[in-house]
Amino acid sequence: MSEALAPALSSQEQAIASGAKSLNGEVTERVLRLYEGIRGYGPPRVALERPVLFTEAFKANERDPLVLRWAKALKAYAEKSTVTILDDELIVGRPHDWLGRWGMVYPELDGEVMPAGVEMFRKNKGKTGEVIVTDEDAKIINEVLTPFWKGRDYASNFVKSLPEETRFKLYGPDPNNIIMMTCVVMATSPMRHSQNWTPDFTKILTRGVRQIREEAEAKLASLSEPRDQIGKRPFLEAVILTCEAMTTWSRRYAAKARELAGAARDPARARELLDIAAICDWVPENPARSFHEAVQAQWWGQLFNRIEQTSSAMGQGRMDQYLWPYYKADLDAGRIDKARAMELFQCLWLNMSQVTEIKLNPVAAAGTEGFSQFPDVCVGGQNSDGHDATNELSYLILESMRPLQLTAPDTCVRIHAGTPDAFLHHVVECIKDGKGYPKLLNDEMVIPFYLANGATLKEALDWNISGCCENRLPNRETNVTAGGGINYGSVTEMTFRRGRLKVLHDIQFGVDAGDPRAWTSFDQVWEAFRGQLLHLAPHVLTQQHMAMKLKPSYFAAPATSMLHDLAMAECRDLHTHGEWFEGSIDHSTFEAIGKATAIDSLAAVKHLVFDTKALSWDELLTALEANWEGHEATRQMCLGAPKYGNGIAWVDAIGFEIERVLLGYLNAHPKPHNQAFLLRQIPITFHVPFGKVTWATPNGRLAGEYLSEGISASHGMDVKGPTVALASIAAARDRSFREKGGDLINMKFSPANVAGEAGTRRLMQIIRTWSELKHWHVQFNIINRSTLLAAQKDPQKYRDLVVRIAGYSAYFVDLSPMQQAEIIARTEEAA
Amino acid sequence: MSAEAVRGLVLNIQHFCTDDGPGIRTNVFLKFCSLHCKWCSNPESIGPKPEIAYDSRKCIGAKACGRCLKAPAPEGAFYVVEGEDTVRVNWDLAHEAGGELAALCPAGAISLFGRSMTVDEVLQEVEQDGTFYRESGGGITLSGGECLLQPDFSAALLREARNRGISTAIETAGNVPWEFMEKVLHHVDVMLHDHKLTDPVRHKLWTGADNSRILANFKKAYETFPDTKFIARTPLIPGVNDDEEHIRAVLAFIRPHANVVDYQLLPYHRFGASKYGFLGKVYELQDFSPPAQETLERLRAIIAESFGRAPAL
Ligand code: SF4
C-alpha cells in the first residue's frame, strides 16, 4: 500500500492560501474589479422595485384577465424601473442599483408569509445565511406589499384549499399554520411560481421579440371564434405587451448608455458605452447580429423571465450550441478573438452570480441554503443528429469560469459514449479546480428517459439541464407546477414508532401497524415500512393536483409562454398546463429524500434483530426512544451494521425495493393524459431540515441530524471507496420505469487522490464507468477536510471558498453551521 | 475440492487502488510474510494466523459497554484500571483469543486481522470493480504480506480471475521457494517486485533475511516468463537505501531484461506506524521521516535516464 506524499491542494485552495486573485487562467482588470466589487458587497440584499411596481400595476388593472395583468405589470416595470449601468459593465441590465448580490421577492407568491421571512432574516443578521433587509426594505414589505397581498397570494390560498387530511400531512395539526411545513410531506409550489424551467432563449436570439410580437398580432387578427375572445385574445395581447415591454426596457438602457457616454471622462469607456447603446437599441427587439449582441440578448431574456416569475432554477439551455453560430461568424469576419469572447462570457457570469434566490418562507430557506438559483449552463452532449456536439465554445465556456470563484452560473456537461477524450480531459481539469462544477449528466440515461416519456429520438437528443439534476425539452414539456416530496426519514421513524412522530408530539400521523416487538420476521418490518410509504405518497399527488388546479388563478407568465411552441400554438399561458397542451410532455415530480437513511435503518434491523439476533427489539426500540442516550453500545452496533454503498447485495437490494414501491405506485397513478409522476431523489439542502424533524433512526443516526443526501450512501459509511460506491448505488436504482426521474450522487476526493495527470486520467476513467453504469448525475467535491475546518474558524479569509452542495455550489460561509457540518462529514480525509 | 473453493487467509480487499499496477485496481492483501522489514506499514500482515487488534480510541468505555471484560471474553485479556473507563489490553492473553473476541465489541475497537475466504468469495468482491477495469485497464493485484506464501490459493485465485476476464498482477518480495513463485506466475500479467537493499548483510539486518534467494528467483522469473511484465520497486528509506549506489545496482540487475518495463521508487511514509500499537507490537523506526523531495527527484532522474525517458514527477 503506497500513499501520496505531500498533502495536495486544489486550485481553489491554492488561490486562497496564496491570496491570489484568480485561479486558473487570465482575467482582465475589468473582470477582476467587478468580481471584487460583487464579493466585497457582502450578503445578498432584497431588490424591491419589481414587487412594488407589480403591486401597483396589479391594483390598477384589477379587472383584466390575469395574463394581461401580468403583461401590464411587466410593461409598467419596463417603463418605470430604475435604469442602472455600472462602471466596467459590458452586459447591462439589473433590477436594482448596486453592484452585489440581490434577490427578488414575489408577493403574489407568498406575500402573506413575507413578514415572517423578514423577521427571520433580521434575526439572522451577522450570522451565516444572512440577507440584507434594511429598515426601509422591511417597511415596504410589511406596509406596502403584505397588506395588499394578504389573502390574495398563492401560498396561503394553496394551504387553505387543500383537503384536510392532506393539509394535515403538509402543515400539521394547527389549521391556521400557513408557513411551517411538517417536512414529512412537502410542497414546493408555495415557494416558487414554476418548477425548474428552461425558456427557449434561442427564439430571442434568432427571431427577436419583434417577430414574436408580429406572430401574435397576426394570430390576433385572425381570431374568428367567439370563445377565442376570452381565452386567446388576452393571451395574445399579453404577448404583444410583453414584447413591447422588453423593447422599451432595453431602449431605456440604450438611452442611459448614451447619456453616460456623453459624460464619460475616459474615451475608451465612452466608446464602449456607445457600443452598448447600439446593441441595446437592437436586441432583444431584433435578431442578434454578433456574439456580443447574442450574449446581451440572452441576458435580457433571462432577466426578464426572472422579473416575471421565479422557478428557483432557470436553465440557460445549451449555450455552446446556440451561441456557436454568432461566435463562429464573428471569428471568421475577424470581429472577435478568444480573449474578447472570454471577457464577455465572464461579464455575463458575473451578472448571473449576483442573482440569488431569497426565500422568505423559512422551510424553503432551509431547504435551499446558499441562495441556490441554478442558472445552469449546458454544454457538450450530442446534437439532434446523434453526433457529438462539442465545439470550441464548449471548451471556452468552461475555461471562462475557471479564473473566478463564483457559485453561479452552474455548469453541466452532458456526457455520452462518444464524448471526446480531449473534452473530457478539459472537463476533469475544471472539476479539479475544486469548486464542484461542472456537474455531469448522462445522455445514456436521460435520452432513454425521454423516449420512455413520449419524445421523439431527435427531440430527446436535444435535452438540456434545468435545475440541479433536472432536464428539459423547452418546446415539448409544459409542466410548470412545482412538485412535492416525501421524507424517507419520517417514513422510517413511523415504521418503528407505530405511525407516530416525536416532533409532532406523537399524534397519530401514519399507520399504526402495531408494536414492532411482536414482529417475528424482517418481512413484517418491510411491510410496515411499505405501508407508511404508501400512506404518505397519495398526499404528495393530491397536493400536486391541487397546485395545478389553483395556479392559473394566481400566476401567468406571458414572457415565458411566448417562447414556447405549444403555448403559442394554443394561445394559452403555460400555467394552464393542467388543462393539457396537445402534444406536450407534462410530467410532475415526486421528491423523496433520505434514501440511504432508510436503507441503512432497515438493514440494521434485519442484521441485528433477525439475522444475527445481536439485539432484541426491546433493546433497539428503547435505545431509539432515548435517542441512544445511555445506550451507546447499541448505537455502536447499529453504526457497525452493514451499510448501503459497500457492494453488499442484500443491502443494496433494499434500496432497489424502496424505489420500486414508489415507482410502482406512481406508475399506477399517472396524471391525466397518461402523463408520468416522476420519482426524483435530489435533496438540494432539504435533507438538513428533513433530518431536523426526524427522530433517531436504527442506522445509528441521532435525532435531528441530517439525513443522507441524494442517492449517495450515508455520510462516511461507504468505506470501500468510489468504485464500489458507484456500483452499489447503481444496484439500488430501478431504471425500468418511465417514472424514474433524476437522482443525485455526490462523490468526494481529496485533491491528493486526483493529483497530476495520472489523477486526471483516473477521474476520466471513473466518469466513463459512471456513464456505462447508466447513472443520471454525478458531481465532485475535491477539497481537503482541513480547508473546511479552517474556513469555519476564519470565515473572512475563506470568504470566497466555494463548495458543492447538491446540484449547485455555494459559498461555504453562506451556509448554516449544520449544513457546514454536513459538508465536512461527507468530505474525504486526505490519504 | 473445486478450484473456486480453495481457501486462503485474506487480510483485506482494498478497492480503487491506483499505485500498484496499471489502471484502477483492486488489491487483495494476503496474510503471512517471510520478511520482517523494519519499515513495514502493514504489520498486521506478517503473522501466519488471524490476529486480534485493539484500537482504544474507538472503545466507548466499560460503563457504557464492558462486554470484553466478561465471559465469553478470555479472563484478563481486557481490564480497567481505577479511575479510567477505556479498557486496557493484556496482549499475552488477547493474542491467544480468536475471532469471537472481535465479534463481541460493538464499537469495532477490537478487530480481527485475517479471515479465511474462498476464491469465489474473493472474486465476488473483486468483481464489483469490473466496469472500472474495462475503462482503466486495471484488474486484481495480489499483495500482502507475501502472497506467494499461499501458492495454491494465489494460483487458483489468479487463474479464475483470468477466466473471468480480469487482468492479474502480484506484488511480491520474492523470498519464497522458486516452485511457489513459478506456480503462481503462470497466471500473472504484471509482477511488481521489491529490490529492497543490495548488500546481503544489510538486507538481512533490515528485513530479517538475505537477498540471495530473492535475486535468484527474480532472475529466473524474468527468463522463464518472457511475456509477463515486471515492474521493479524500491521502498525508499532514508539512510537505509536512498543512495545512488543501490539504485544503480538494481538497474544493472534489471536492465538486461526487456520484460522488466519499469523501476519505481516508493518513498517511505509513516502511515502504518500507529497500527503497531493496536497489535501490541513496537515500531522501531520512530525517528525516521520521509525522504527529501530532492533525493527522490535525483534518484528518479537516474532511473529515467536508464530507461531513456523523461523523469517522472
Ligand atoms: S467491547 Fe469494545 S467498546 Fe466495549 S469495552 Fe470492550 S473494547 Fe470497549
Side-chain angles (χ1 to χ4, degrees), chain A residues 667-695:
Chain A
N667 187 260
H669 299 276
K671 294 172 65 181
H673 300 273
N674 195 26
Q675 299 297 298
F677 266 103
L678 307 179
L679 173 64
R680 296 199 327 171
Q681 294 168 102
I682 298 162
I684 318 188
T685 58
F686 278 107
H687 56 301
V688 175
F690 277 34
K692 263 196 191 131
V693 302
T694 305
W695 193 245

Side-chain angles (χ1 to χ4, degrees), chain A residues 57-258:
Chain A
F58 267 72
K59 280 184 195 161
N61 305 299
E62 207 136 5
R63 299 165 73 108
D64 285 322
L66 192 61
V67 68
L68 216 44
R69 281 175 93 184
W70 223 279
K72 285 181 179 172
L74 287 170
K75 189 96 192 296
Y77 180 82
E79 284 163 357
K80 296 182 193 161
S81 58
T82 319
V83 168
T84 307
I85 297 175
L86 300 172
D87 287 350
D88 286 322
E89 284 192 311
L90 287 178
I91 305 297
V92 298
R94 58 178 57 242
H96 56 80
D97 58 5
W98 62 87
L99 180 68
R101 291 187 290 171
W102 56 274
M104 206 81 93
V105 294
Y106 301 90
E108 71 278 13
L109 174 64
D110 56 1
E112 185 157 348
V113 309
M114 278 174 26
V118 169
E119 254 319 278
M120 171 181 77
F121 281 123
R122 288 170 75 82
K123 261 197 271 169
N124 244 1
K125 212 165 177 261
K127 293 196 204 132
T128 58
E130 182 178 354
V131 166
I132 301 175
V133 185
T134 64
D135 291 344
E136 179 65 16
D137 295 339
K139 206 167 154 194
I140 291 174
I141 291 173
N142 293 336
E143 292 173 22
V144 178
L145 301 179
T146 297
F148 177 74
W149 289 102
K150 197 166 161 46
R152 287 189 170 93
D153 68 338
Y154 169 80
S156 60
N157 283 292
F158 168 74
V159 185
K160 289 172 197 154
S161 309
L162 289 169
E164 174 52 22
E165 209 193 326
T166 301
R167 190 208 60 73
F168 175 79
K169 295 287 195 255
L170 271 112
Y171 290 89
D174 176 4
N176 297 317
N177 168 31
I178 55 164
I179 300 176
M180 289 308 291
M181 280 189 228
T182 58
C183 291
V184 179
V185 178
M186 166 184 72
T188 70
S189 70
M191 308 172 188
R192 46 183 175 164
H193 305 74
S194 164
Q195 180 74 5
N196 308 0
W197 191 253
T198 305
D200 181 7
F201 292 118
T202 61
K203 291 200 175 84
I204 298 179
L205 271 60
T206 58
R207 302 179 65 197
V209 295
R210 177 154 42 151
Q211 284 183 38
I212 298 172
R213 194 188 72 210
E214 284 164 1
E215 184 189 333
E217 283 165 351
K219 284 192 157 145
L220 197 58
S222 69
L223 289 183
S224 53
E225 290 295 323
R227 69 165 181 273
D228 292 343
Q229 301 301 320
I230 298 167
K232 294 185 176 178
R233 171 171 293 279
F235 174 78
L236 292 168
E237 285 173 355
V239 168
I240 293 164
L241 277 178
T242 304
C243 292
E244 283 170 12
M246 286 182 78
T247 307
T248 303
W249 202 35
S250 69
R251 289 236 172 104
R252 290 182 65 216
Y253 272 85
K256 183 77 179 180
R258 256 187 298 273

Side-chain angles (χ1 to χ4, degrees), chain B residues 45-216:
Chain B
S45 70
I46 296 174
K49 288 197 302 188
E51 264 169 274
I52 287 286
Y54 172 57
D55 179 354
S56 65
R57 293 170 310 182
K58 290 189 185 162
C59 172
I60 58 171
K63 263 200 236 58
C65 172
R67 293 176 191 212
C68 56
L69 302 175
K70 41 190 189 249
E75 207 185 325
F78 290 87
Y79 61 99
V80 273
V81 297
E82 191 64 37
E84 280 184 19
D85 191 35
T86 301
V87 305
R88 295 189 178 208
V89 60
N90 176 335
W91 281 115
D92 292 337
L93 296 169
H95 275 315
E96 292 310 307
E100 321 77 58
L101 187 56
L104 275 182
C105 176
I110 306 171
S111 56
L112 186 73
F113 283 118
R115 65 190 156 129
S116 165
M117 291 179 82
T118 65
V119 164
D120 192 51
E121 282 166 351
V122 171
L123 285 179
Q124 270 192 25
E125 170 133 16
V126 166
E127 279 184 312
Q128 290 169 357
D129 289 342
T131 30
F132 292 88
Y133 304 152
R134 196 157 67 226
E135 280 299 340
S136 68
I140 184 175
T141 302
L142 266 194
S143 181
E146 174 53 69
C147 61
L148 298 183
L149 287 176
Q150 300 185 48
D152 293 338
F153 177 68
S154 295
L157 178 58
L158 296 179
R159 186 178 54 228
E160 182 56 21
R162 275 185 166 176
N163 281 345
R164 299 190 192 185
I166 301 171
S167 114
T168 59
I170 61 169
E171 190 193 14
T172 176
N175 187 32
V176 295
W178 165 247
E179 301 73 58
F180 288 13
M181 186 177 278
E182 187 188 19
K183 183 165 198 176
V184 176
L185 269 179
H186 284 291
H187 313 290
V188 170
D189 300 324
V190 180
M191 176 168 123
L192 306 148
H193 59 294
D194 278 4
H195 291 262
K196 297 177 197 279
L197 285 134
T198 318
D199 177 59
V201 178
R202 292 186 66 231
H203 196 285
K204 183 154 180 38
L205 179 74
W206 284 97
T207 73
D210 80 35
N211 55 357
S212 50
R213 176 166 71 163
I214 296 173
L215 291 176

Side-chain angles (χ1 to χ4, degrees), chain A residues 1-5 614-615 619 630-634 636-638 640 646-649 720-724 726-727 749 753 762 764-766 768-770 772-773 831, chain B residues 12 14-16 18-20 23-24 29 41-42 44 60 64-65 67 106-107 125 128-129 131-132 134-136 143 171 233 266-269 271 275 290-291 293 296:
Chain A
M1 285 185 251
S2 57
E3 282 108 318
L5 253 188
L615 276 182
E619 281 170 307
H631 300 270
E632 187 55 25
T634 307
Q636 289 298 329
M637 289 167 82
C638 290
N646 294 294
I648 307 165
K720 289 193 183 167
T723 56
V724 176
L726 276 180
F749 290 97
N753 281 155
R762 204 171 296 148
M764 288 169 67
Q765 291 154 0
I766 288 178
R768 293 280 187 204
T769 310
W770 159 87
E772 280 181 40
L773 288 169
Chain B
N12 180 24
Q14 193 172 327
H15 298 265
F16 191 53
T18 51
D19 297 323
D20 303 302
I24 294 173
F29 295 91
S41 58
N42 298 323
E44 73 280 20
I60 58 171
C65 172
R67 293 176 191 212
E125 170 133 16
Q128 290 169 357
D129 289 342
T131 30
F132 292 88
R134 196 157 67 226
E135 280 299 340
S136 68
S143 181
E171 190 193 14
R233 311 211 287 187
L266 311 175
Y268 166 77
H269 60 73
F271 297 133
K275 285 192 275 189
Q293 195 60 30
L296 200 58

